[in-house]
Amino acid sequence: CRIQYHFGEFGNYSLVVKTLSTSTQTVSCDLIINEGPINSYLPILFAFLVYMGILAILIAGRLLMKIDPVRNWVYKKLNPRATDRMINSELGSPNTADSINCDPVPQSWSTGSRQRLRSLDTFRGLSLVIMVFVNYGGGKYWFFKHESWNGKLHFPSALFSRFVFIMGTSIALALGSMLRWGSSKWKVLRKILWRSFVLILLGIIVVNPNYCLGPLSWDNLRIPGVLQRLGFTYLVVATLELVITRADGGTWEGRFPALQDILPYWPQWIFILVLETIWLCLTFLLPVPDCPRGYLGPGGIGDFGKYPNCTGGAAGYIDRLLLGEKHMYQHPSSGVIYQSTMPYDPEGILGTINSIVMAFLGLQAGKITLFYKDQPKQIMSRFIIWGTVMGIISAILTKCSKEEGFIPINKNLWSISYVTTMSCFAFILLLLIYYLVDVKKWWSGAPFLYPGMNSILVYIGHQVFANYFPFKWKMQDSQSHAEHLTQNLTATTLWVIISYILYRRRIFWKI
């Protein structure tokens, strides 16, 4: 009996199979709709209209503020100093005098907000806001959930990689700024070590999903994690850049000035290529007990159940060997479809190598903005070139297929094809935001600019307070997309508002 039908959500169906003739073995298959499905996408449409209405009101208010009588009336009603700041603000970066942070990096703001690329903060904030929404549940829609293993990239698959990418971009700008302001390399290195240590510590102690297994102790402490990977990736890439970067910011005087953002840094490229070679060798050549060499599958019932305990191949084996099963993520996404029972950590040891590669590609984007800071056409053309090259590499590695390529796109493994694909998208997205925000100035970056400038606070805060009101409350119908979407959007919007309030008060939490 074969039948094709698009089933709707919350519909109730019966399949009636009748034998028409025993001699010819013919059957009839009839699908009966007992209860009609609902349109589960209506809440998304309603939410879109609500946010568009809010945006229209804000735009109308901004236009009204340009009318002299309205502006004068507001000026009289509100505190003059606060009103001046509200009217004259262009939603740019804060000035040094207003910041509570005394680190060397924000000193570059003192010459005006134009020197700080708002597109970077907007890119980071956009990725962070969507990440918060997805982590809160994404309205319980399937396309806001992570892919179980190989295949098409669902919306969340790109979020963490974008965060890693823009971290690399920020490293290029921040280190150059600190060195130009007279900080010694030893002082900068101490700051790099401290920041990495704090990120890793926060990830292990504060943002640890194994809390759900009971009181946290060494017996069930998850060692890998998002902040842990960010901290270690930052340590490697920032140190690598610090070793090569010149304090005077000198230009390349070689034979190929068009490659001045690449050729002077050839030792970095050799280091990255060696790292990637290590990843390839371990992934495809390391013997894994009772598993085929080079296995990249999900285990469980995947591959017809031939390798049930081989989840992640070499990546999973290395983590289980070095960390221990109890110190890993206990509920991998592969368990949903493939019923795998082995613990597997998507932020494990082997995948960290490719997150370093991802951050290094982001570092390259930062170098491009530094070397061609007064030439937006050069910056955009190079972003296009890098995005195209990454896309071509991905097409070769995957053969433009889900399973048939040399190395499938896999977020759980952080495969090199995943890195090149996400880098392609990141370069193109950064290009678009840079063009709209910093070149044409058609968009101020709001509201994503605000969480982008307080990213650590928003990320840790949304994890710590995830189960507290008003970020979460008891729902009447736990199966309702409308209720889940309302709750998740409310929680995400609250963090945007919190980051905006902190922005207005010039409060920025930096490590």
Side-chain angles (χ1 to χ4, degrees), residues 210 217-224 323-330 345:
N210 280 5
S217 66
W218 178 250
D219 293 335
N220 63 350
L221 184 73
R222 183 195 180 197
I223 298 176
L323 303 177
E325 292 186 5
K326 292 185 178 180
H327 300 294
M328 298 166 57
Y329 190 54
Q330 300 298 310
D345 208 305

PDB file of all heavy atoms in Angstrom, residues 210 217-224 323-330 345:
ATOM      1  N   ASN A 210      24.362  20.018  32.450  1.00  0.00           N
ATOM      2  CA  ASN A 210      24.250  18.852  33.311  1.00  0.00           C
ATOM      3  C   ASN A 210      23.660  19.183  34.679  1.00  0.00           C
ATOM      4  O   ASN A 210      23.498  18.298  35.517  1.00  0.00           O
ATOM      5  CB  ASN A 210      25.606  18.168  33.470  1.00  0.00           C
ATOM      6  CG  ASN A 210      25.929  17.303  32.267  1.00  0.00           C
ATOM      7  OD1 ASN A 210      25.189  17.286  31.288  1.00  0.00           O
ATOM      8  ND2 ASN A 210      27.025  16.584  32.312  1.00  0.00           N
ATOM      9  N   SER A 217      28.331  18.134  40.396  1.00  0.00           N
ATOM     10  CA  SER A 217      29.507  17.631  41.098  1.00  0.00           C
ATOM     11  C   SER A 217      30.484  17.127  40.049  1.00  0.00           C
ATOM     12  O   SER A 217      30.171  17.071  38.859  1.00  0.00           O
ATOM     13  CB  SER A 217      29.115  16.504  42.061  1.00  0.00           C
ATOM     14  OG  SER A 217      28.645  15.372  41.339  1.00  0.00           O
ATOM     15  N   TRP A 218      31.646  16.752  40.504  1.00  0.00           N
ATOM     16  CA  TRP A 218      32.647  16.299  39.546  1.00  0.00           C
ATOM     17  C   TRP A 218      32.191  15.036  38.815  1.00  0.00           C
ATOM     18  O   TRP A 218      32.605  14.778  37.692  1.00  0.00           O
ATOM     19  CB  TRP A 218      33.979  16.041  40.256  1.00  0.00           C
ATOM     20  CG  TRP A 218      35.023  15.528  39.311  1.00  0.00           C
ATOM     21  CD1 TRP A 218      35.550  14.273  39.260  1.00  0.00           C
ATOM     22  CD2 TRP A 218      35.633  16.247  38.232  1.00  0.00           C
ATOM     23  NE1 TRP A 218      36.454  14.173  38.231  1.00  0.00           N
ATOM     24  CE2 TRP A 218      36.526  15.378  37.585  1.00  0.00           C
ATOM     25  CE3 TRP A 218      35.510  17.556  37.762  1.00  0.00           C
ATOM     26  CZ2 TRP A 218      37.302  15.762  36.499  1.00  0.00           C
ATOM     27  CZ3 TRP A 218      36.275  17.940  36.669  1.00  0.00           C
ATOM     28  CH2 TRP A 218      37.156  17.054  36.051  1.00  0.00           C
ATOM     29  N   ASP A 219      31.306  14.258  39.423  1.00  0.00           N
ATOM     30  CA  ASP A 219      30.867  13.016  38.807  1.00  0.00           C
ATOM     31  C   ASP A 219      30.096  13.240  37.512  1.00  0.00           C
ATOM     32  O   ASP A 219      30.138  12.399  36.606  1.00  0.00           O
ATOM     33  CB  ASP A 219      29.990  12.218  39.786  1.00  0.00           C
ATOM     34  CG  ASP A 219      30.786  11.713  40.982  1.00  0.00           C
ATOM     35  OD1 ASP A 219      32.012  11.558  40.835  1.00  0.00           O
ATOM     36  OD2 ASP A 219      30.185  11.491  42.043  1.00  0.00           O
ATOM     37  N   ASN A 220      29.365  14.349  37.425  1.00  0.00           N
ATOM     38  CA  ASN A 220      28.558  14.587  36.223  1.00  0.00           C
ATOM     39  C   ASN A 220      28.832  15.950  35.593  1.00  0.00           C
ATOM     40  O   ASN A 220      27.995  16.500  34.886  1.00  0.00           O
ATOM     41  CB  ASN A 220      27.062  14.461  36.549  1.00  0.00           C
ATOM     42  CG  ASN A 220      26.606  15.514  37.547  1.00  0.00           C
ATOM     43  OD1 ASN A 220      27.418  16.214  38.143  1.00  0.00           O
ATOM     44  ND2 ASN A 220      25.302  15.633  37.726  1.00  0.00           N
ATOM     45  N   LEU A 221      30.002  16.505  35.838  1.00  0.00           N
ATOM     46  CA  LEU A 221      30.353  17.824  35.313  1.00  0.00           C
ATOM     47  C   LEU A 221      30.655  17.736  33.822  1.00  0.00           C
ATOM     48  O   LEU A 221      31.552  16.981  33.409  1.00  0.00           O
ATOM     49  CB  LEU A 221      31.571  18.373  36.061  1.00  0.00           C
ATOM     50  CG  LEU A 221      32.008  19.793  35.694  1.00  0.00           C
ATOM     51  CD1 LEU A 221      31.025  20.801  36.264  1.00  0.00           C
ATOM     52  CD2 LEU A 221      33.413  20.074  36.220  1.00  0.00           C
ATOM     53  N   ARG A 222      29.898  18.468  33.023  1.00  0.00           N
ATOM     54  CA  ARG A 222      30.191  18.508  31.593  1.00  0.00           C
ATOM     55  C   ARG A 222      31.372  19.440  31.359  1.00  0.00           C
ATOM     56  O   ARG A 222      31.314  20.626  31.681  1.00  0.00           O
ATOM     57  CB  ARG A 222      28.974  18.997  30.797  1.00  0.00           C
ATOM     58  CG  ARG A 222      29.226  18.982  29.280  1.00  0.00           C
ATOM     59  CD  ARG A 222      28.191  19.791  28.532  1.00  0.00           C
ATOM     60  NE  ARG A 222      28.437  19.759  27.094  1.00  0.00           N
ATOM     61  CZ  ARG A 222      27.910  20.620  26.224  1.00  0.00           C
ATOM     62  NH1 ARG A 222      27.111  21.585  26.671  1.00  0.00           N
ATOM     63  NH2 ARG A 222      28.175  20.529  24.951  1.00  0.00           N
ATOM     64  N   ILE A 223      32.438  18.906  30.774  1.00  0.00           N
ATOM     65  CA  ILE A 223      33.651  19.699  30.566  1.00  0.00           C
ATOM     66  C   ILE A 223      33.573  20.540  29.295  1.00  0.00           C
ATOM     67  O   ILE A 223      33.879  21.730  29.327  1.00  0.00           O
ATOM     68  CB  ILE A 223      34.892  18.787  30.562  1.00  0.00           C
ATOM     69  CG1 ILE A 223      35.027  18.106  31.930  1.00  0.00           C
ATOM     70  CG2 ILE A 223      36.152  19.585  30.243  1.00  0.00           C
ATOM     71  CD1 ILE A 223      36.153  17.117  32.031  1.00  0.00           C
ATOM     72  N   PRO A 224      33.184  19.986  28.141  1.00  0.00           N
ATOM     73  CA  PRO A 224      33.043  20.847  26.951  1.00  0.00           C
ATOM     74  C   PRO A 224      31.797  21.720  27.056  1.00  0.00           C
ATOM     75  O   PRO A 224      30.957  21.531  27.928  1.00  0.00           O
ATOM     76  CB  PRO A 224      32.915  19.835  25.795  1.00  0.00           C
ATOM     77  CG  PRO A 224      33.286  18.514  26.363  1.00  0.00           C
ATOM     78  CD  PRO A 224      32.961  18.578  27.820  1.00  0.00           C
ATOM     79  N   LEU A 323      37.783  12.390  28.148  1.00  0.00           N
ATOM     80  CA  LEU A 323      36.922  13.103  29.097  1.00  0.00           C
ATOM     81  C   LEU A 323      36.090  12.165  29.963  1.00  0.00           C
ATOM     82  O   LEU A 323      35.809  12.481  31.121  1.00  0.00           O
ATOM     83  CB  LEU A 323      35.980  14.059  28.350  1.00  0.00           C
ATOM     84  CG  LEU A 323      36.639  15.112  27.455  1.00  0.00           C
ATOM     85  CD1 LEU A 323      35.568  15.922  26.733  1.00  0.00           C
ATOM     86  CD2 LEU A 323      37.539  16.026  28.268  1.00  0.00           C
ATOM     87  N   GLY A 324      35.708  11.057  29.400  1.00  0.00           N
ATOM     88  CA  GLY A 324      34.801  10.157  30.109  1.00  0.00           C
ATOM     89  C   GLY A 324      33.357  10.451  29.738  1.00  0.00           C
ATOM     90  O   GLY A 324      32.983  11.600  29.523  1.00  0.00           O
ATOM     91  N   GLU A 325      32.550   9.410  29.655  1.00  0.00           N
ATOM     92  CA  GLU A 325      31.172   9.567  29.179  1.00  0.00           C
ATOM     93  C   GLU A 325      30.340  10.490  30.061  1.00  0.00           C
ATOM     94  O   GLU A 325      29.476  11.216  29.571  1.00  0.00           O
ATOM     95  CB  GLU A 325      30.497   8.192  29.080  1.00  0.00           C
ATOM     96  CG  GLU A 325      31.084   7.301  27.993  1.00  0.00           C
ATOM     97  CD  GLU A 325      30.300   6.017  27.823  1.00  0.00           C
ATOM     98  OE1 GLU A 325      29.244   5.882  28.495  1.00  0.00           O
ATOM     99  OE2 GLU A 325      30.713   5.159  27.030  1.00  0.00           O
ATOM    100  N   LYS A 326      30.588  10.491  31.370  1.00  0.00           N
ATOM    101  CA  LYS A 326      29.773  11.300  32.275  1.00  0.00           C
ATOM    102  C   LYS A 326      30.106  12.786  32.199  1.00  0.00           C
ATOM    103  O   LYS A 326      29.368  13.605  32.747  1.00  0.00           O
ATOM    104  CB  LYS A 326      29.944  10.806  33.712  1.00  0.00           C
ATOM    105  CG  LYS A 326      29.350   9.434  33.961  1.00  0.00           C
ATOM    106  CD  LYS A 326      29.439   9.054  35.425  1.00  0.00           C
ATOM    107  CE  LYS A 326      28.793   7.693  35.681  1.00  0.00           C
ATOM    108  NZ  LYS A 326      28.877   7.305  37.115  1.00  0.00           N
ATOM    109  N   HIS A 327      31.214  13.123  31.562  1.00  0.00           N
ATOM    110  CA  HIS A 327      31.630  14.523  31.468  1.00  0.00           C
ATOM    111  C   HIS A 327      31.331  15.104  30.088  1.00  0.00           C
ATOM    112  O   HIS A 327      31.918  16.099  29.696  1.00  0.00           O
ATOM    113  CB  HIS A 327      33.115  14.649  31.789  1.00  0.00           C
ATOM    114  CG  HIS A 327      33.477  14.190  33.164  1.00  0.00           C
ATOM    115  ND1 HIS A 327      33.041  14.836  34.297  1.00  0.00           N
ATOM    116  CD2 HIS A 327      34.198  13.132  33.586  1.00  0.00           C
ATOM    117  CE1 HIS A 327      33.500  14.206  35.368  1.00  0.00           C
ATOM    118  NE2 HIS A 327      34.203  13.163  34.964  1.00  0.00           N
ATOM    119  N   MET A 328      30.408  14.461  29.380  1.00  0.00           N
ATOM    120  CA  MET A 328      30.016  14.902  28.045  1.00  0.00           C
ATOM    121  C   MET A 328      28.528  15.236  28.034  1.00  0.00           C
ATOM    122  O   MET A 328      27.806  14.970  29.001  1.00  0.00           O
ATOM    123  CB  MET A 328      30.326  13.795  27.015  1.00  0.00           C
ATOM    124  CG  MET A 328      31.794  13.438  26.906  1.00  0.00           C
ATOM    125  SD  MET A 328      32.039  11.898  25.996  1.00  0.00           S
ATOM    126  CE  MET A 328      31.236  12.287  24.435  1.00  0.00           C
ATOM    127  N   TYR A 329      28.087  15.789  26.925  1.00  0.00           N
ATOM    128  CA  TYR A 329      26.664  16.080  26.752  1.00  0.00           C
ATOM    129  C   TYR A 329      25.901  14.774  26.650  1.00  0.00           C
ATOM    130  O   TYR A 329      26.269  13.883  25.867  1.00  0.00           O
ATOM    131  CB  TYR A 329      26.472  16.931  25.497  1.00  0.00           C
ATOM    132  CG  TYR A 329      25.080  17.498  25.340  1.00  0.00           C
ATOM    133  CD1 TYR A 329      24.503  18.249  26.356  1.00  0.00           C
ATOM    134  CD2 TYR A 329      24.354  17.297  24.177  1.00  0.00           C
ATOM    135  CE1 TYR A 329      23.232  18.777  26.218  1.00  0.00           C
ATOM    136  CE2 TYR A 329      23.090  17.834  24.024  1.00  0.00           C
ATOM    137  CZ  TYR A 329      22.532  18.568  25.060  1.00  0.00           C
ATOM    138  OH  TYR A 329      21.276  19.084  24.922  1.00  0.00           O
ATOM    139  N   GLN A 330      24.830  14.636  27.427  1.00  0.00           N
ATOM    140  CA  GLN A 330      24.145  13.358  27.549  1.00  0.00           C
ATOM    141  C   GLN A 330      22.977  13.172  26.577  1.00  0.00           C
ATOM    142  O   GLN A 330      22.462  12.061  26.446  1.00  0.00           O
ATOM    143  CB  GLN A 330      23.633  13.200  28.985  1.00  0.00           C
ATOM    144  CG  GLN A 330      24.725  13.235  30.040  1.00  0.00           C
ATOM    145  CD  GLN A 330      25.720  12.101  29.890  1.00  0.00           C
ATOM    146  OE1 GLN A 330      25.337  10.940  29.770  1.00  0.00           O
ATOM    147  NE2 GLN A 330      27.002  12.442  29.873  1.00  0.00           N
ATOM    148  N   ASP A 345      29.284  14.799  22.435  1.00  0.00           N
ATOM    149  CA  ASP A 345      29.316  16.231  22.723  1.00  0.00           C
ATOM    150  C   ASP A 345      29.596  17.017  21.451  1.00  0.00           C
ATOM    151  O   ASP A 345      30.666  16.873  20.849  1.00  0.00           O
ATOM    152  CB  ASP A 345      30.390  16.544  23.763  1.00  0.00           C
ATOM    153  CG  ASP A 345      30.048  17.783  24.569  1.00  0.00           C
ATOM    154  OD1 ASP A 345      29.823  18.826  23.943  1.00  0.00           O
ATOM    155  OD2 ASP A 345      29.985  17.686  25.806  1.00  0.00           O
TER     156      ASP A 345
END
